[in-house]
Amino acid sequence: MLRMALLFLCVAALSLFLGRYPTTGFLSPAMLARDELARTLLLNLRLPRVLTAILLGTCLGSSGMVFQMIFANPLVEPGFLGVSQGAAFGAGLGIIFLGNNSWLVQACAALFAFAGLLLSYLLAHRIRFGGWILRLVLAGISISALFSAGVGILKYIADPLGQLPEITFWLLGGLWSVNWSRVLAILPVVLAGLGVIFGRRWRLNLLALSDETVHSLGAKPGRERILLLAAAVASTAAVISVCGVVGWIGLIVPHVSRRLFGVDTRFSLPGSMLIGALFTLLCDDCVRVAMAAEIPLGILTSLIGAAFFLVLMTSKGMKVQR
Amino acid sequence: MKDPLLAFNEVTFGYHQSGNRKEESWREGIIEIDPEQGRSEPAVVRSKGSRAVVPKTGFTVSKSPGPGALEQTVAGQKRSGPVVTSVQCVHSRESDVLRGLSFSIFSGSATAVLGPNGVGKTTLLFLALGWLKAQGGEVVLAGRPVHTYGQSERGRLMSLVPQREHIPFEYSLLEYVLLGRAPHLRPLEMPGEEDRRIALDSLKRVGLGEKPTRSINRLSSGERQLLLLARSLVQRPRLLLLDEPTSHLDVGNKKRIVDLLKGMQSEGITLLFTTHDPQVAASLADQLLLMRRGVVAKAGAPEEVLTTDLLTETYGVEVRVVKVDGEIVILWT
């Protein structure tokens, strides 16, 4: 864990000096001392961007772990309860009807991310069969499908020259639009959510067990699950509202963490946060350094994530009970 | 006489999909009628719609019977009859699992709950645990209704060994057993050295002390049952609830579990367990509850409950109870 943390710190520090100014590659400290523009660039563009990449990875990694534990299923991720699709729909609405004001788009995305969760939750209450988890999963899938149909309609009616590319870019996710004011706007929610999850990291273990066992262990299964889900969704919605939909991190990272640090969430949750942050940072470094026309972050995380996932699932040591 | 550790008082419970219980009428009950005016023994009545006919009198009891005169309507004329002196009325539905279940268990005892499949044995445990709430009557734990306990306070008083536990991730034995310390820790607290020592002790106690860091997926079903027991032990409970602790186990593992439970009982842990195995019940329990149709059909010592007639009637098949070297054995033909 300590080695992972050190590696993460090194990568985070190096990321600040990586980029395409003045030339592609590394910005030397000597250059930084001389060049006023380089300093401004580092403090006002790269620093918030690196910080957001860290927050994004930490949120998605920890939320993924929370979702997988609470649903006792290693194949779920934060976008599970209509959150991602809700956010996408909200952003689409903002882009088309609210004049593409970046603050409004963000607010709209966060609002609909929560609406997705709320609708899934209410629908789960009204489904008349199955246990709580099955109902929540079914509700989440249907609400996601509804929102994704909505996104389809929005794309169909969007202006193909101005709005459609905007929506598409947002759906692919990326960190190019990050600045200090945006980071500071989401920081309180993200830190609060992460704080709740991190504080309860050992108790998260309990929530993967059956309801009556959790109850017999002196916990309230419903209430504790809702608290952690709300923390995970709030922080995820906040980062999604800035970064767009960045896929696969929430699904893959918890698996890697369990491989490295064991199943006990006391260790695998901080592990998941670290690995998430590290993976996102590295992917973001790649997308902004590799090509002059930046490719969206979501594409790279999905590409690497999916490839990695396939290897992980087919490798011998992988055991999924169910 | 000392107070019971756990008492069920006229508990009713049903898994109803919907519906407001307050609108439910009473189903059955026992009324006592003033002997001078009517019957000398209590009458058992069953409601039909909003009324019930008192056997052999022709008088009816209204929807919510209370002490008062019974009524009879003959040819349009209302007529008052004998006086009801006391009423024990059970509000239940046909679909209720438990219908006015009452029993008590005392500290340090071992109680077995026997009965056919679907009679409500597991439901009884869940009610005792406070996981389900009685819809009528009351479950009392150490002098207080069970649902008035705080979560962790209750978790330190009693623990549940479920029949089976699905553990979705591959924990080590120690990590899993440590989860039993949850009621002793504050919400943000992590288990410490002392908790670890207790967990290791309890693993040793059930015979899984070797290599506590191995994966739970390597355990046989018998060892898994022992692991569940170990997790419950680290809760340090006063009352241990076990749901069929010996089902799916071979003779050796059955004996091991029974011996372990006997040891715990001798240390003062009160046991309440359900079982389908009269042998296990007879060798471990000092009180047996035989359940039938949602009530306790017979409670008492093993010799009183495990009789040829009672078991034949309860299970609906011919069985014979014999004694071999002082031990009760059940034969079926």
Side-chain angles (χ1 to χ4, degrees), chain B residues 68-325:
Chain B
L70 291 180
E71 282 181 354
Q72 192 179 32
T73 310
V74 180
Q77 296 281 311
K78 266 198 181 172
R79 164 159 101 80
S80 283
V83 171
V84 177
T85 54
S86 91
V87 182
Q88 283 181 291
C89 174
V90 177
H91 288 260
S92 74
R93 304 190 208 185
E94 280 304 328
S95 58
D96 273 347
V97 182
L98 303 182
R99 304 166 180 205
L101 184 78
S102 296
F103 68 88
S104 301
I105 61 174
F106 292 89
S107 272
S109 66
T111 306
V113 184
L114 276 165
N117 286 113
V119 79
K121 299 190 293 294
T122 303
T123 305
L124 182 153
L125 290 186
F126 286 173
L127 282 160
L129 189 67
W131 170 236
L132 298 176
K133 194 162 181 256
Q135 289 157 348
E138 197 175 43
V139 179
V140 179
L141 174 72
R144 269 163 59 192
V146 71
H147 59 267
T148 63
Y149 279 85
Q151 292 295 117
S152 343
E153 189 187 9
R154 204 195 42 236
R156 290 190 293 266
L157 255 177
M158 63 178 157
S159 77
L160 170 78
V161 179
Q163 197 175 351
R164 234 170 283 160
E165 173 75 62
H166 171 69
I167 307 164
F169 298 100
E170 206 176 330
Y171 284 96
S172 74
L173 304 191
L174 182 62
E175 283 167 348
Y176 180 71
V177 169
L178 261 177
L179 299 183
R181 293 303 291 165
H184 295 267
L185 301 172
R186 286 187 297 276
L188 301 181
E189 205 179 347
M190 308 285 145
E193 270 312 304
E194 174 68 7
D195 301 303
R196 210 179 130 83
R197 192 189 56 73
I198 293 171
L200 283 171
D201 281 353
S202 124
L203 275 172
K204 262 182 220 144
R205 173 87 193 268
V206 302
L208 295 172
E210 233 173 89
K211 286 199 209 152
T213 50
R214 76 192 135 130
S215 153
I216 51 172
N217 284 5
R218 306 232 168 116
L219 299 182
S220 68
S221 54
E223 287 172 322
R224 259 183 114 98
Q225 196 66 37
L226 290 168
L227 183 75
L228 293 183
L229 198 56
R231 193 205 65 209
S232 285
L233 271 183
V234 301
Q235 274 179 260
R236 300 263 166 100
R238 273 175 71 192
L239 172 63
L240 190 56
L241 308 169
L242 304 107
D243 195 5
E244 300 188 24
T246 58
S247 58
H248 335 283
L249 296 188
D250 62 33
V251 178
N253 278 322
K254 229 177 238 186
K255 173 91 168 65
R256 235 160 268 145
I257 294 257
V258 168
D259 287 346
L260 265 172
L261 291 176
K262 272 183 183 164
M264 290 175 196
Q265 193 199 351
S266 68
E267 288 164 19
I269 297 180
T270 311
L271 305 175
L272 172 62
F273 63 100
T274 66
T275 181
H276 279 300
D277 192 337
Q279 224 94 36
V280 171
S283 63
L284 187 56
D286 31 45
Q287 179 185 219
L288 254 62
L289 305 174
L290 186 66
M291 285 179 67
R292 202 192 303 160
R293 291 184 54 236
V295 292
V296 175
K298 175 83 183 169
E303 294 79 31
E304 296 164 26
V305 176
L306 298 176
T307 62
T308 302
D309 291 345
L310 263 176
L311 292 187
T312 301
E313 201 181 329
T314 302
Y315 290 99
V317 290
E318 285 283 327
V319 296
R320 205 146 60 84
V321 180
V322 294
K323 274 201 166 183
V324 180
D325 295 339

